[in-house]
Amino acid sequence: MTSPGVPEPAEAIDPDVDLHVPGQRAETAGHGKWWVLSAISVGGVAGALARYAASLLWPAAEGAFPWATFWVNVVGCALIGVLMVLVSEHGRSAHPLVRPFLGVGVLGGFTTFSTYARDFTELLEREEAGTAMAYAGGTPACALGAVWLAASVTRWAVSRPAVAR
């Protein structure tokens, strides 16, 4: 909150980029929306293909628990935790297209809320309410736990002093 009569600063669209800082404004100038959208699109294709490959490698039998979707979402969320620590904490920065490509594109395409929702609906249609509720609550709980654990381990790993050789 600011003093009366003093306008509040505009909220950043991307918290990693503050266009009020000349260096960041210049750094992003060559990366217009079409480059960002292209990076997200290419990453999304790669992530969706990886998710599809996981479903082929680990198919769920008819009437079985959807383990492939569960683990894709948990692993994808853990990777998001690692990525965010590596590209945005402790003064680190990455190329402006890394986060859109890897975070939004690849990992956004890899993780899947739509398949999670479909699997939940199928469990309910098969009258497996207990399993459906466990899946509905367990998936987001494990995914959030994976983000926290992976980010914590990554923070610990990158903060360790380098071992003299």
Side-chain angles (χ1 to χ4, degrees), residues 6-150:
V6 177
E8 298 240 3
E11 185 176 331
I13 293 172
D14 182 345
D16 294 337
V17 177
D18 183 355
L19 296 179
H20 296 99
V21 176
Q24 291 183 7
R25 188 171 45 241
E27 181 180 319
T28 59
H31 305 288
K33 69 179 177 182
W34 296 113
W35 284 107
V36 173
L37 291 174
S38 297
I40 292 169
S41 298
V42 171
V45 168
L49 288 173
R51 179 187 60 222
Y52 180 67
S55 71
L56 292 178
L57 292 171
W58 198 357
E62 186 65 34
F65 189 84
W67 286 110
T69 303
F70 174 83
W71 285 113
V72 158
N73 286 332
V74 171
V75 168
C77 287
L79 293 172
I80 288 169
V82 171
L83 174 69
M84 293 312 295
V85 169
L86 293 179
V87 301
S88 64
E89 291 187 7
H90 301 292
R92 285 189 224 53
S93 64
H95 188 279
L97 295 177
V98 168
R99 229 180 81 191
F101 174 73
L102 290 175
V104 179
V106 174
L107 296 174
F110 183 64
T111 57
T112 171
F113 183 77
S114 59
T115 305
Y116 159 75
R118 187 200 70 212
D119 291 343
F120 172 72
T121 302
E122 287 178 1
L123 288 167
L124 287 177
E125 288 172 352
R126 293 194 315 247
E127 298 181 3
E128 298 179 36
T131 303
M133 292 301 124
Y135 182 59
T139 297
C142 290
L144 289 171
V147 170
W148 174 81
L149 180 62

